[in-house]
Amino acid sequence: MRIRDVLADYLWFARNVIATPRAHVPTRPDDTRATILTLPGILEDGSYFQSTFEPLEKSGYDIVQPDLGRMLAPVPELAQKVLADIRERYAQEPDLPIILLAHSKGSLVGRAALAGLPHGVHGLIAIAAPWSGSSMAKLFPAVTALSSMAPAGPAIHQPWGPQRERVIRKRIYSLSPTWDLHIPEGSLLEGATNIPLDVAGHFRGIGAPHTLDVVLTCIEDLIERGPIRAT
């Protein structure tokens, strides 16, 4: 085990939580270019992404944090909440791009939402995603929210089928840390745009300055590509 990386990762996470009360509160820019829906991981909330709030806002993006609790509900249930939020936003502003920004389990929720081919959504940017599950989840059989993310677990199930999966993978940007204790299997997703990050750890990837640059580039690319569902 890479003790130094583990300690650095958990220390970053603790600092991020402590900083939450003082974090920048995102407000909608005057000339909004796109809506960014944040989808955190288990036991996280939207504040996990707080290091991105101000720079994204300055770049013209409206950061939205859907009420998903602590991400303990099953993936399909959470995805339906996200889809309901997306439908409401699309009805109000059909020309405003919507992009999903996710971490860990939030990536699985984002993929399930993408499978519905919702109007207005351009794609998903996922950080440290357990696409193939995590063998570490087997260590917590009594905690359904965790055990469901074991390889071949219900959180990994893709009931929409391989053809739809191939379509949505073309709109997924998977950002992978160099090493992830929580996801030994890694975050490589065949058919998606896979981008390696120059940082180790499950949590602190979003806090690295170069990660923000990557996220901004991915957003620009997704806006240019247009919505996943054209009509």
Side-chain angles (χ1 to χ4, degrees):
M1 182 180 295
R2 299 163 62 168
I3 299 298
R4 180 177 296 180
D5 287 330
V6 172
L7 292 176
D9 197 36
Y10 288 154
L11 180 60
W12 180 91
F13 182 77
R15 287 174 173 170
N16 197 51
V17 171
I18 292 170
T20 298
R22 304 186 303 277
H24 174 77
V25 178
T27 56
R28 184 184 173 104
D30 292 332
D31 298 317
T32 303
R33 302 182 57 215
T35 296
I36 310 298
L37 254 62
T38 59
L39 308 176
I42 288 180
L43 297 179
E44 300 170 354
D45 58 19
S47 65
Y48 168 79
F49 300 95
Q50 62 184 281
S51 62
T52 71
F53 288 168
E54 192 168 3
L56 286 177
E57 183 182 309
K58 288 181 178 178
S59 296
Y61 302 120
D62 182 25
I63 300 98
V64 175
Q65 305 171 68
D67 184 9
L68 302 174
R70 288 290 175 174
M71 299 294 288
L72 296 174
V75 166
E77 180 180 328
L78 292 169
Q80 287 304 313
K81 290 183 178 181
V82 173
L83 284 170
D85 188 288
I86 290 170
R87 284 192 291 267
E88 183 177 342
R89 296 182 187 283
Y90 178 78
Q92 295 173 355
E93 297 179 294
D95 296 326
L96 188 64
I98 299 172
I99 294 169
L100 311 180
L101 175 61
H103 173 244
S104 195
K105 180 182 178 179
S107 308
L108 303 179
V109 174
R111 176 169 67 176
L114 276 189
L117 300 183
H119 289 290
V121 175
H122 287 225
L124 165 66
I125 302 167
I127 302 170
W131 302 122
S132 301
S134 170
S135 53
M136 295 292 287
K138 297 177 181 179
L139 301 177
F140 305 93
V143 184
T144 303
L146 293 173
S147 62
S148 65
M149 293 198 296
I156 313 302
H157 183 49
Q158 302 162 26
W160 46 86
Q163 183 174 352
R164 180 64 58 87
E165 178 69 10
R166 284 192 293 270
V167 171
I168 64 178
R169 286 189 184 194
K170 294 177 182 178
R171 293 303 185 95
I172 294 177
Y173 292 69
S174 185
L175 281 53
S176 306
T178 58
W179 179 80
D180 189 338
L181 173 65
H182 291 236
I183 311 174
E185 291 77 5
S187 298
L188 183 69
L189 183 64
E190 184 178 352
T193 300
N194 293 283
I195 303 174
L197 297 175
D198 189 23
V199 62
H202 186 66
F203 299 107
R204 61 180 177 148
I206 193 65
H210 72 276
T211 302
L212 177 61
D213 294 336
V214 172
V215 169
L216 287 169
T217 299
C218 292
I219 292 173
E220 292 283 353
D221 191 34
L222 285 170
I223 291 175
E224 184 176 342
R225 294 178 67 180
I228 190 171
R229 182 172 181 172
T231 60

